[in-house]
Amino acid sequence: MRIKLIIKYNGTHYYGWQRLGDKPTIQGEIENALYRIHRRRTQIYGASRTDAGVHADGQVAHFIPLESTFDINYVQALNQHLPNDIRILSSEGVADNFHARESSQSKLYEYYLAVGRSLPYYCAHWTRSQKLDVELMNKACQFILGEHDFKSFQSSGSRTKTSVRKILEASWRTEGDKYIFHIHGTAFLKYMIRNLVGTLSLVGSGKISVSDFVKILNKKNRSSAGSTA
């Protein structure tokens, strides 16, 4: 049996999900908490590796417990040993063939971008004076729906078997002074969402057209796209 966890965290003070030496990470904190429970090192596997400063409201993970610990209430036990900005929302026993990453069907991300003088919590800051044209950005989003090669938006030097990914939903909306990019797909490349935001914001600010965005997608060349948000 394996234990499946649903995790919520504020990533502000962490260097992302993946354990990274002595630096604080989400995986590192949870594995340290498991050590206090099991008294031995237990590796935890996440559905995604979020970047530094990124938050989660439903990250899935799993680990293999000791046989003698099957009956532990891991929500209560882990939260007792975790900092307040990392919370275990639920835990359940699952079959041995379950894997948080490999069993994942789809993932949903949102990127929050703030304009104006104030910087609301959970937001990146758009430092330019002009506002963004959401209608134009949404027109560009229609061209990334479905299955495409997203090499133009892949992190430079990233090693993957294929840069083809399937996007189920992609759109922008506004909430007050915030622009929110919503994207739902079967999987994503490293920095893919941040690179899409950086390029789509060029469309929204009028620096490139929707047809220019499509050309960038089809070029399959990272240097042709916008900067990483």
Side-chain angles (χ1 to χ4, degrees), residues 3-148:
I3 299 295
K4 172 187 171 184
L5 302 176
I6 304 295
I7 309 162
K8 179 174 184 174
Y9 54 83
N10 180 325
T12 301
H13 304 297
Y14 299 94
Y15 288 81
W17 166 267
Q18 190 173 7
R19 179 180 281 277
L20 193 63
D22 294 331
K23 294 180 178 179
T25 66
I26 307 300
Q27 180 186 30
E29 292 291 339
I30 297 174
E31 288 182 355
N32 289 342
L34 283 170
Y35 179 78
R36 296 186 183 99
I37 297 168
H38 292 165
R39 293 301 172 185
R40 72 165 177 84
R41 289 295 169 192
T42 304
Q43 186 170 0
I44 186 168
Y45 302 87
S48 294
R49 296 178 180 179
T50 48
D51 295 335
V54 175
H55 321 295
D57 196 21
Q59 168 74 293
V60 180
H62 84 272
F63 65 90
I64 301 173
L66 298 171
E67 188 173 345
S68 59
T69 62
F70 282 167
D71 294 332
I72 287 180
N73 180 337
Y74 278 102
V75 174
Q76 182 178 355
L78 283 169
N79 285 337
Q80 184 178 355
H81 295 292
L82 286 168
N84 289 333
D85 50 7
I86 303 174
R87 295 287 89 184
I88 307 301
L89 301 181
S90 68
S91 71
E92 63 175 312
V94 291
D96 285 341
N97 62 354
F98 175 85
H99 193 287
R101 184 180 67 256
E102 296 170 6
S103 301
S104 172
Q105 298 297 304
S106 66
K107 303 173 183 182
L108 190 155
Y109 283 80
E110 288 194 329
Y111 190 98
Y112 283 63
L113 189 61
V115 297
R117 295 180 180 178
S118 62
L119 182 58
Y121 198 47
Y122 287 130
C123 287
H125 197 201
W126 180 253
T127 56
R128 298 158 184 81
S129 58
Q130 77 271 30
K131 293 189 175 182
L132 300 175
D133 189 322
V134 172
E135 184 178 351
L136 278 178
M137 293 192 294
N138 279 331
K139 284 182 179 178
C141 283
Q142 296 305 303
F143 292 95
I144 64 173
L145 297 178
E147 195 169 81
H148 300 279

Side-chain angles (χ1 to χ4, degrees), residues 16 21 28 40 48 50 53 65-66 100 103 114 124 149 153 169 171 179 215-216:
R40 72 165 177 84
S48 294
T50 48
L66 298 171
S103 301
D149 189 332
F153 305 102
E169 299 174 299
S171 64
Y179 295 96
K215 289 175 184 176
I216 291 170

